[in-house]
Amino acid sequence: MLPTSSLRRQARFRPPSIAGKVARPRLLDLLSLPRQRRLTILVAPAGYGKTSLAAQWYHRLLSQGLTPAWISLGPDDSDQSRFLLAMVEALDQILDHPAKPIDAGSVSVATLLSVLVTRLQRVQPEATLFLDDYHASQTDGTEAIVARLLSHDELGHIRFVLVSRSAPRFPTSALRLAGEVKQIGLAELGFSDDEAQAFFGGDGASLSGPQLKSLNERAEGWAVALQMMRILLEESGADSPAILSAFRDRSGDMGQYLSEQVFSSLSAPLQRLLLETSSLPAISRGLVSALCDETVVGAFASLREQALPIAVLDDEGQWLRLHPVLTGFLKEEAVRLGIDSSAILARAARWFAGEGDIEAAVEHAFAAGAPELAAEIIEAAGGWRRVYTTNRGGAALFRKLSDEAAQIDLPAYPLTTLGLAVVSAKTAQLDAADYYLEIVSRGADTMDEGLASALRVVRVLVSLYTDRWVSSADLGELERDLGRHSGRELVHRALSLNMLSYNFLIRTDLDRALHYGNLAMQAFRDGGADFGALHLYTHIGQASFFSGDMISAEEAYDRLITEVAAHIGRGSDFDAVGHVLKCEVLSMRGDIVEAGRALAWALPHVERHDTWLDPLAAGLLAQQRVLILSGDTIGAHAAMDRARSTARRRGFDRLVRMIDGERVALLIASGDLAEAARYAEASGFGEKAARADQPNDLSLRLRGTVPALLWVRMHLAQGRLDVARDLLSLLETSQARKPHVLRQMELRLLGIRLAMAAGDSTTAASQLSDLVLGLPVMDYRAVLLSEGPAFVSDILALARAAPVPGVVLQRLLQAAGSPSPVVTKTGGLTEREQAVMQLLSAGLGNKDIGRRLSLSDNTVKFHLRNIFAKFGVTTRTGAVAAARTAGLLP
């Protein structure tokens, strides 16, 4: 048996059965001919057969070999994320290879929209998307989504059918002018006399032709009224004329009257069943058994035998829903009889919680007006972990709970309150996140170790969004938690490992960042949380990049981009993050055209949408490299202005400071020394700060510059060589940890500058050899090129004149962009490199190449670096193309 939530979701994506329904070929032909429109609207009050007609159309399209998809919407789908996710899940029902579920609590509306567009593009050659009960989710936000989808240039093959009690409010004039809108309303949906005749049994109907015509005229073709009249006539037999007379003379509400008449004809247990469950969105035998006494439960079996207007919601026939017209009467009757619907809904909430359907449980708790019960249910289900362990509605549950927070004793539900903190941080409500954290923290003295550990990891997570520095003591506690509780719940463990990886990354403790990053990725994979695992590519890629392993960094970003495209969608927030981080690699390698092209769309996307500090910092510096290496100093300043505005808006003070430092560096490089000194003093990079320890701790600044580096350059430009040399020495000797590879290269280049400025060519040549032979200059060309053309010319002249190994000059020439030597028939490749090249051209990854040739990963990477250098390329694709040009490959 499927779990309750699966049954409910299954019903959501299937039209109701059309068995026993009156076929309506007249309307079906009207909908289909001469061609189907982009937008079809079936709009009428409840009971006019909109859903029945749409279901018949759905099955006709299916029988014609076309591709329809069905979604039954509800009030919760008025949330834009839920609305988009419903459509994404509906498409997964019809795609041959559906993508893995999306963690809606961790992606933005823009990302979900991008996912939906990507998956709609995969549906070929065309598809029809039925949105039933569209009115239930109709808000300005959801209307805007449908309007965007209808106006999307690449979605012309997707048709939308809105089944609704109210017409859409978004503009449709352009579609109407293009003949792409068909609207079916009351006039068309009302039963004709012939259809009414068929509905009542055709020629064998108990009513005469004139009686049926009169009845249909009085009912105005209203399907549900005719259905309930048929029930009454079948029950009453000989009293048909009297019932018809009463119906004809009835001056009040027709639906109310007919519901009352149908209801009064039912047995007492069945009446009690309908009254006691009238407040529930849907019922099943299991649910009824939990809520009602045995007499009432026994009546459930006969419910479907009564020919009542009931929708069956699943294939097994376990879940049923009454027609809204009848339900409206029953709710009023239940209130009149004093039946406590809130108590029934609350008991239903507990039943769903016991069945493991937390989403339905919380939904019923809110319907009962019991937010405290909703908090209790979420608490028992793991509290904050629900944000990560559900693919539907995790964040939505907490957002709804936040609206009712004033009515909840939050300290009694600390895990749930931590969930409110997480979701608030994710939605940029940072004051609210701090407020919820403070509520939980007040009980720190008496909380158990499990809660204390949860508080620690959530506090660290929130700090990522609020750009607050996590103390070493807090990270130490997270590490100890992992050791003390090796069997801790998987999401908790994975998130702890994730936070450790990130925080060691930004501290430039790169080995530990990689260690915890790989462990976190595996933990997320083990738990089936692929979205969580995707984040780890960003940490692993950055740690590899700053460790000097450019190939591994690019591989991590390529995998991120590929998996995001498959699971989320191209053009999404996370896709943009992946491309921005890859552009840091491309720009550092000197591929400024390719980097500039990707940054043009990806960086503005990241600036507009939800992200953390590091992708913004990586994108800014990549953009600066592209502009500076292109000689566009004015453009570089303008880009800083935009980036600084974004950083201030997002509250990223560290990013603001990094941008200010880059501005000072750009002014120095441009020769504007007086303005550089003034700006440095004004922005906290003054000469006094250049000799302080904390502002110059390179391990705490993964990217950007520090005051000491700026003032070494300032003094060097002013000719104050002794002051510059002393300051550089102080900076190098004061570091508690070895700087990462990019820092090492910059420090050595500054040392070479100083030696050359002092006329000490011997020292300069020695340091140049150490730099070129000891560090991956070819992979990080932009560090050298950013020093300026004049300096590059000087070191090339030095390498030609000084007694340095020939490979030093060769690598410098390649790094400086000079023409590579002519490639011979072997391409200059060794026998082993040629073997690697053959396997590379077959599309094999590093691990597979290593297995084929019995090489370690590092050895494969070494050979790839040499291949790239010999061909003067920077990508695997470029190497293959160059090898083919050289005749090494077919």
Side-chain angles (χ1 to χ4, degrees):
M1 174 181 167
L2 289 171
T4 307
S5 56
S6 297
L7 289 171
R8 287 157 54 85
R9 191 156 299 136
Q10 180 190 76
R12 178 179 175 82
F13 302 116
R14 298 195 179 185
S17 171
I18 58 173
K21 303 292 184 183
V22 174
R24 311 198 69 183
R26 170 180 62 90
L27 284 178
L28 291 175
D29 291 342
L30 182 63
L31 290 168
S32 303
L33 297 175
R35 62 179 178 82
Q36 189 179 339
R37 310 303 203 273
R38 285 288 311 282
L39 174 63
T40 301
I41 307 165
L42 305 181
V43 57
Y48 272 88
K50 303 182 297 297
T51 298
S52 175
L53 174 63
Q56 291 180 45
W57 191 15
Y58 173 97
H59 286 288
R60 174 184 276 197
L61 293 175
L62 207 57
S63 68
Q64 294 171 345
L66 300 175
T67 309
W70 185 279
I71 313 165
S72 294
L73 297 168
D76 282 347
D77 297 310
S78 59
D79 175 85
Q80 283 185 304
S81 294
R82 297 280 291 249
F83 184 76
L84 285 163
L85 191 59
M87 286 194 276
V88 169
E89 290 183 343
L91 289 177
D92 285 346
Q93 309 293 313
I94 62 173
L95 289 173
D96 292 334
H97 302 287
K100 293 183 180 179
I102 298 169
D103 182 351
S106 302
V107 295
S108 67
V109 170
T111 293
L112 281 170
L113 181 59
S114 175
V115 173
L116 176 61
V117 170
T118 299
R119 296 192 187 178
L120 286 170
Q121 289 170 337
R122 286 173 55 193
V123 180
Q124 295 296 334
E126 62 180 47
T128 302
L129 198 56
F130 289 82
L131 305 185
D132 189 30
D133 287 337
Y134 176 73
H135 59 274
S137 63
Q138 193 174 16
T139 64
D140 289 346
T142 55
E143 293 265 86
I145 288 170
V146 178
R148 286 189 65 177
L149 294 173
L150 284 165
S151 63
H152 200 290
D153 292 338
E154 297 181 22
L155 298 182
H157 63 298
I158 304 297
R159 322 290 190 218
F160 289 86
V161 179
L162 308 185
V163 184
S164 180
R165 297 183 195 173
S166 57
R169 298 186 293 270
F170 58 81
T172 59
S173 55
L175 286 171
R176 290 183 186 276
L177 287 172
E180 291 291 352
V181 177
K182 182 66 179 178
Q183 183 161 324
I184 302 292
L186 281 175
E188 295 87 358
L189 284 167
F191 271 44
S192 68
D193 290 343
D194 289 341
E195 287 171 329
Q197 177 80 34
F199 184 68
F200 275 85
D203 294 337
S206 58
L207 298 178
S208 66
Q211 284 178 316
L212 276 172
K213 184 174 182 179
S214 174
L215 172 62
N216 194 44
E217 182 180 346
R218 176 67 183 88
E220 297 178 341
W222 192 18
V224 75
L226 295 174
Q227 183 177 2
M228 288 196 283
M229 274 299 302
R230 187 175 68 177
I231 296 171
L232 291 174
L233 291 170
E234 289 173 352
E235 292 287 338
S236 62
D239 292 333
S240 298
I243 292 176
L244 286 172
S245 176
F247 175 62
R248 185 168 48 250
D249 297 338
R250 183 78 179 175
S251 59
D253 179 74
M254 186 188 305
Q256 184 82 1
Y257 167 72
L258 289 170
S259 297
E260 182 179 357
Q261 296 303 308
V262 168
F263 179 74
S264 65
S265 69
L266 301 175
S267 66
L270 199 51
Q271 288 184 358
R272 193 69 187 174
L273 169 64
L274 296 180
L275 289 170
E276 291 184 4
T277 60
S278 61
S279 60
L280 302 174
I283 58 174
S284 70
R285 184 178 184 86
L287 178 56
V288 170
S289 298
L291 303 180
C292 305
D293 60 42
E294 291 184 9
T295 305
V296 173
V297 173
F300 182 84
S302 64
L303 187 57
R304 293 181 64 181
E305 300 171 2
Q306 302 298 317
L308 293 169
I310 292 174
V312 180
L313 302 181
D314 61 284
D315 289 344
E316 293 79 7
Q318 296 189 45
W319 286 92
L320 309 176
R321 181 178 62 212
L322 288 176
H323 194 281
V325 172
L326 182 56
T327 301
F329 162 77
L330 292 171
K331 287 181 177 179
E332 290 185 7
E333 189 69 6
V335 171
R336 188 181 68 79
L337 294 174
I339 295 174
D340 189 350
S341 62
S342 294
I344 292 171
L345 283 162
R347 288 164 59 198
R350 294 190 185 281
W351 181 82
F352 277 110
E355 293 290 303
D357 192 344
I358 304 304
E359 182 182 348
V362 173
E363 175 188 328
H364 282 74
F366 280 122
E372 188 98 7
L373 174 59
E376 177 188 326
I377 291 169
I378 295 174
E379 185 80 8
W384 64 274
R385 299 183 190 96
R386 294 300 304 176
V387 178
Y388 298 94
T389 55
T390 178
N391 290 321
R392 275 192 55 82
L397 293 183
F398 286 98
R399 284 196 289 269
K400 198 165 186 178
L401 200 66
S402 179
D403 294 337
E404 306 288 343
Q407 303 179 48
I408 303 170
D409 180 17
L410 292 177
Y413 309 104
L415 295 177
T416 300
T417 306
L418 288 177
L420 290 170
V422 171
V423 172
S424 296
K426 284 176 172 291
T427 53
Q429 299 177 42
L430 304 183
D431 290 341
D434 285 338
Y435 168 72
Y436 293 127
L437 277 178
E438 174 60 26
I439 289 174
V440 180
S441 299
R442 290 170 192 163
D445 294 338
T446 58
M447 67 178 57
D448 61 39
E449 182 52 37
L451 177 57
S453 178
L455 174 60
R456 282 191 285 271
V457 72
V458 171
R459 182 184 285 125
V460 173
L461 173 68
V462 171
S463 72
L464 186 152
Y465 289 92
T466 55
D467 190 28
R468 284 198 293 260
W469 196 256
V470 178
S471 71
S472 297
D474 284 341
L475 293 183
E477 282 297 316
L478 281 189
E479 289 186 296
R480 284 188 285 276
D481 283 346
L482 290 171
R484 286 193 293 254
H485 307 283
S486 58
R488 187 173 297 288
E489 192 271 336
L490 191 60
V491 169
H492 190 152
R493 180 174 178 79
L495 187 61
S496 297
L497 291 165
N498 186 357
M499 291 299 98
L500 286 169
S501 177
Y502 173 74
N503 280 280
F504 283 124
L505 170 66
I506 62 176
R507 283 169 163 76
T508 323
D509 194 342
L510 303 178
D511 289 339
R512 291 167 88 183
L514 283 168
H515 170 69
Y516 285 120
N518 285 308
L519 289 177
M521 177 175 284
Q522 188 58 53
F524 277 120
R525 297 282 192 213
D526 289 345
D530 286 330
F531 187 83
L534 289 178
H535 283 85
L536 274 304
Y537 283 125
T538 69
H539 305 340
I540 291 170
Q542 291 178 86
S544 299
F545 174 73
F546 288 106
S547 297
D549 188 353
M550 184 79 85
I551 292 178
S552 292
E554 187 169 18
E555 284 179 349
Y557 298 146
D558 283 340
R559 289 178 182 175
L560 171 61
I561 292 166
T562 299
E563 291 187 28
V564 166
H567 300 327
I568 300 178
R570 293 184 179 88
S572 63
D573 293 359
F574 219 165
D575 187 34
V577 167
H579 277 89
V580 162
L581 289 171
K582 184 174 180 179
C583 285
E584 184 168 46
V585 170
L586 295 173
S587 64
M588 184 59 73
R589 211 161 45 202
D591 294 344
I592 60 175
V593 175
E594 187 177 349
R597 186 183 302 116
L599 283 170
W601 75 267
L603 183 56
H605 190 113
V606 170
E607 289 175 335
R608 287 193 302 270
H609 299 292
D610 179 40
T611 189
W612 61 106
L613 180 146
D614 295 83
L616 285 170
L620 166 68
L621 292 182
Q623 186 180 55
Q624 287 296 303
R625 287 187 204 103
V626 168
L627 293 169
I628 290 170
L629 295 181
S630 302
D632 188 358
T633 303
I634 295 176
H637 280 291
M640 283 191 212
D641 292 339
R642 292 192 298 272
R644 197 175 196 279
S645 176
T646 297
R648 287 178 62 86
R649 185 181 74 251
R650 303 287 280 273
F652 289 159
D653 293 336
R654 280 190 297 143
L655 185 56
V656 171
R657 179 172 175 80
M658 190 194 83
I659 294 167
D660 288 341
E662 292 303 306
R663 176 95 69 184
V664 176
L666 186 57
L667 290 169
I668 294 172
S670 303
D672 299 325
L673 301 184
E675 180 59 21
R678 187 200 67 77
Y679 195 87
E681 293 291 344
S683 56
F685 288 88
E687 192 167 4
K688 185 176 180 181
R691 295 187 175 275
D693 288 340
Q694 198 279 336
N696 296 292
D697 187 345
L698 296 174
S699 68
L700 302 182
R701 289 157 187 84
L702 192 66
R703 296 177 175 86
T705 189
V706 293
L709 283 171
L710 293 174
W711 283 93
V712 168
R713 293 182 180 279
M714 186 87 73
H715 295 317
L716 182 58
Q718 294 169 339
R720 303 173 66 191
L721 303 186
D722 290 343
V723 179
R725 188 180 299 106
D726 289 344
L727 188 54
L728 181 60
S729 177
L730 176 62
L731 175 64
E732 291 176 323
T733 56
S734 65
Q735 300 304 310
R737 182 179 294 119
K738 185 178 180 179
H740 61 64
V741 165
L742 278 72
R743 297 284 192 205
Q744 293 177 48
M745 292 179 66
E746 183 180 9
L747 291 170
R748 293 194 187 188
L749 286 169
L750 281 174
I752 293 168
R753 270 186 175 276
L754 284 166
M756 291 174 66
D760 187 353
S761 59
T762 302
T763 299
S766 174
Q767 292 178 343
L768 182 60
S769 291
D770 291 343
L771 168 66
V772 175
L773 297 176
L775 292 171
V777 176
M778 274 301 301
D779 284 345
Y780 296 83
R781 296 175 62 221
V783 178
L784 171 63
L785 298 177
S786 295
E787 296 292 328
F791 176 72
V792 173
S793 296
D794 289 344
I795 62 170
L796 286 174
L798 175 66
R800 290 188 179 98
V804 298
V807 69
V808 172
L809 177 58
Q810 183 185 15
R811 288 189 176 184
L812 281 174
L813 287 169
Q814 291 174 338
S818 298
S820 300
V822 176
V823 179
T824 64
K825 192 63 178 176
T826 64
L829 303 184
T830 65
E831 184 177 346
R832 178 64 79 184
E833 288 165 357
Q834 291 179 57
V836 170
M837 189 70 248
Q838 290 286 343
L839 296 175
L840 183 67
S841 69
L844 272 63
N846 287 6
K847 291 187 182 299
D848 290 330
I849 293 173
R851 279 193 288 269
R852 295 283 188 92
L853 300 178
S854 299
L855 302 175
S856 69
D857 282 354
N858 286 334
T859 303
V860 173
K861 292 171 185 175
F862 171 78
H863 287 311
L864 286 175
R865 286 196 191 97
N866 287 341
I867 291 169
F868 290 174
K870 290 176 180 180
F871 283 135
V873 299
T874 57
T875 65
R876 301 162 79 91
T877 304
V880 172
R884 286 181 177 143
T885 301
L888 299 180
L889 296 172

